[in-house]
Amino acid sequence: MSDTTSTPTSSPATPGAVPDSATEALQATLAAEHAAVFVYAALGGQASRSAQPGLYGRITAAYRLHRTRRDELIGLVRAAGAEPVAAEPGYQLPADLGTPAALTARALRLEQDAASTYAYLVASSTGATRTWAVTALLDAAVRGLGFGGRPETFPGL
């Protein structure tokens, strides 16, 4: 199993081809979204809809958004002429996810990691891909605030 911070190598569209930095960044971002979807699903399974409706709602909304971002990234990678990196069979989870505080802390870390990954994509891309990545970066930064994060001048850096 891998942890959620590993960065895989990208898969070029043709054997022997060297992927450009934007494609590598798309692949790394896609790998991070695969991990985020997996971890958010586990967090959702630990949150109580009745006991912590606010937390449950934020985790559910984040899961859905990360799933959408993952699917959009698959399309962007394919449009770049590469085969999208596959999800790992599993990802490490913290041992203690039994409290609302632990769930909140893990969700905040996921959003901070997402902001960092999207900042990398912003720096590595241009045009419509960069615009999309800026929106995703801002979304991650704002979502992190909902999990107790602090506003940052340059989120993700």
Side-chain angles (χ1 to χ4, degrees):
M1 294 218 276
S2 56
D3 68 18
T4 60
T5 59
S6 64
T7 303
T9 58
S10 60
S11 302
T14 56
V18 177
D20 64 19
S21 64
T23 303
E24 288 178 3
L26 282 168
Q27 293 281 35
T29 306
L30 174 56
E33 285 296 4
H34 283 312
V37 168
F38 181 93
V39 175
Y40 266 119
L43 297 181
Q46 294 296 316
S48 171
R49 187 175 190 175
S50 60
Q52 303 110 17
L55 177 59
Y56 179 85
R58 286 189 301 278
I59 288 173
T60 300
Y63 168 77
R64 289 179 180 149
L65 184 67
H66 282 282
R67 193 176 59 196
T68 298
R69 295 264 187 242
R70 179 206 57 201
D71 295 346
E72 291 169 343
L73 280 159
I74 289 170
L76 290 170
V77 169
R78 285 188 176 135
E83 182 63 29
V85 65
E88 296 291 331
Y91 298 88
Q92 285 184 327
L93 297 170
D96 176 27
L97 291 178
T99 66
L103 294 173
T104 300
R106 187 63 177 124
L108 174 58
R109 176 146 180 236
L110 279 170
E111 295 307 330
Q112 290 168 334
D113 290 349
S116 293
T117 303
Y118 280 111
Y120 170 57
L121 182 56
V122 168
S124 301
S125 60
T126 60
T129 300
R130 177 179 261 174
T131 300
W132 182 88
V134 167
T135 300
L137 168 60
L138 292 173
D139 286 347
V142 170
R143 225 176 2 271
L145 297 175
F147 291 113
R150 295 178 171 252
E152 299 177 19
T153 303
F154 298 107
L157 297 182

